[in-house]
Amino acid sequence: MPLPTLDSLDLKLLQALQLDGRAPFKRIASVLGVSDQTVARRYRRLLAAVDLRVLGRTDDARLARQNWIVRLHCTPDVAERLAGALAKRPDTIYVALMSGGTEVICGMKPRSTRERDELLLERLPRTPHVGSVTAHCLLHRFYGGPLGWLAKIDALDRSQQEALRPPAPAPLEDPVLLDAADDELLALLSRDGRSTLSTLQTVTGQPESAVKRRLDRLRSTGVLYFDVQYDHATMGHDVQAMLWLTVAPHATTAAGQALASHPEVQFASATTGLANLVVFGLFRSPEHVYAYLSDKIGSLEGIRSAETAFILRQVKQLTYEPSR
């Protein structure tokens, strides 16, 4: 089946949603200079054509929680089953099968030390046919999180971006504390970030005014942001790759900041382990990956080594829907 063609209005709508995933169609339409009905119609088309989803996510740095990337090397016959089992866990947000079919990558957001240790120290090391498990704590994010890759496509001009971008959250002195009602609201938004207030009120049983207050607080504190997910191939990115970079300690910050500016980079973070920078990137082809490694990575000061692996299949990205 041929891929859908995205025109300039489609790209503008995607970037508008990346800036503010809950922006009303009326406001987006006003900024783009089209009708509300046109925006709504394009949105519905993109839901089907590019598997568009707007999902609520939490910035765990604002909750004083750790994020981890776990690498599991296993035999090919268990890789898919292992990835599927990890995808069903509520504390995983990203699971992928890597090139070769013997490595599974898992992004993990444990809510407690006990939850972390249960997976890393008990379950995974005892899993049959898993040869090695390495866990890497993310230390400092250079790009990703609230800064989604679609912010880099420049479909909107500067004034349009400013009209749609919500206020930046203020710096926090102490971590934000969540209660059970906050957790329930965040769980709902993680499945559909554009759920209406009336839908959220019906499901949670809270008054609509209370839901709105909680939603406003979660956003203003920076705990809640919205991510746009879609089929990357529709924008010409047939290759997703993961890079593990070993950088001289004095050059880590400069290298991370440079990576954040690269159009190919959708996520970059300092991390523990032998490699101290991890990068997820979007590329048009293997030749594009080669050029990127040679020209951009090769020109960064302090780079000592680079390990590259293609992502064969993404099993989970925030939510797990095995039918997809």
Side-chain angles (χ1 to χ4, degrees):
M1 180 181 295
L3 294 175
T5 301
L6 303 183
D7 63 19
S8 62
L9 182 56
D10 292 325
L11 297 177
K12 289 177 180 179
L13 177 54
L14 287 172
Q15 190 172 17
L17 292 169
Q18 181 67 72
L19 292 170
D20 185 354
R22 287 188 65 83
F25 289 155
K26 183 176 182 179
R27 181 154 67 92
I28 295 175
S30 175
V31 172
L32 300 187
V34 296
S35 68
D36 305 8
Q37 293 80 6
T38 296
V39 170
R41 185 169 60 251
R42 289 299 183 104
Y43 178 81
R44 290 192 296 270
R45 171 181 173 270
L46 290 172
L47 290 176
V50 303
D51 200 18
L52 171 66
R53 293 190 294 169
V54 178
L55 304 175
R57 304 191 68 166
T58 56
D59 187 343
D60 289 324
R62 302 228 156 204
L63 300 171
R65 296 176 183 169
Q66 298 174 350
N67 283 189
W68 294 74
I69 293 179
V70 183
R71 304 181 70 178
L72 302 104
H73 289 89
C74 53
T75 56
D77 58 313
V78 303
E80 289 206 36
R81 293 203 307 272
L82 177 60
L86 288 168
K88 294 174 183 176
R89 292 181 60 98
D91 56 356
T92 61
I93 57 167
Y94 183 89
V95 180
L97 292 169
M98 306 303 292
S99 52
T102 59
E103 182 177 4
V104 176
I105 290 289
C106 170
M108 180 184 172
K109 301 175 79 167
R111 295 166 57 91
S112 66
T113 301
R114 180 176 175 275
E115 194 175 81
R116 178 199 67 193
D117 292 349
E118 181 267 339
L119 180 63
L120 298 183
L121 301 181
E122 298 175 21
R123 284 185 175 269
L124 293 179
R126 299 174 185 173
T127 303
H129 306 291
V130 172
S132 67
V133 179
T134 56
H136 308 265
C137 184
L138 300 183
L139 303 176
H140 177 78
R141 184 178 62 218
F142 292 102
Y143 198 85
L147 297 172
W149 180 82
L150 286 168
K152 295 183 175 183
I153 66 175
D154 293 329
L156 302 172
D157 62 35
R158 188 176 298 275
S159 64
Q160 290 173 322
Q161 292 181 41
E162 290 305 315
L164 288 164
R165 183 179 288 113
L172 297 176
E173 295 183 1
D174 300 303
V176 177
L177 299 178
L178 303 180
D179 60 22
D182 291 326
D183 288 335
E184 183 181 23
L185 183 58
L186 289 169
L188 292 170
L189 292 168
S190 73
R191 294 189 288 273
D192 181 3
R194 291 188 65 85
S195 293
T196 64
L197 288 176
S198 60
T199 298
L200 296 173
Q201 181 266 327
T202 300
V203 177
T204 63
Q206 301 177 49
E208 190 171 309
S209 58
V211 171
K212 185 178 186 306
R213 283 196 303 272
R214 286 185 182 276
L215 184 56
D216 290 344
R217 172 179 173 268
L218 291 169
R219 298 194 72 181
S220 65
T221 56
V223 170
L224 172 65
Y225 66 93
F226 296 92
D227 190 27
V228 177
Q229 296 183 7
Y230 62 98
D231 182 357
H232 296 293
T234 59
M235 294 180 67
H237 298 116
D238 291 324
V239 176
Q240 290 181 270
M242 191 172 185
L243 284 63
W244 295 91
L245 306 178
T246 304
V247 186
H250 75 274
T252 303
T253 297
Q257 292 171 344
L259 289 166
S261 69
H262 293 171
E264 295 88 350
V265 172
Q266 61 179 155
F267 178 84
S269 177
T271 180
T272 60
L274 294 177
N276 49 359
L277 284 175
V278 60
V279 179
F280 284 83
L282 297 173
F283 303 91
R284 294 184 300 275
S285 64
E287 187 67 27
H288 185 189
V289 178
Y290 173 78
Y292 178 73
L293 290 170
S294 176
D295 300 339
K296 293 187 178 180
I297 298 299
S299 67
L300 295 178
E301 180 187 354
I303 297 291
R304 293 174 173 171
S305 66
E307 176 189 356
T308 308
F310 285 1
I311 297 171
L312 292 183
R313 183 160 63 85
Q314 195 167 278
V315 180
K316 178 181 183 178
Q317 186 172 347
L318 189 59
T319 57
Y320 178 54
E321 299 180 40
S323 62
R324 285 182 179 274

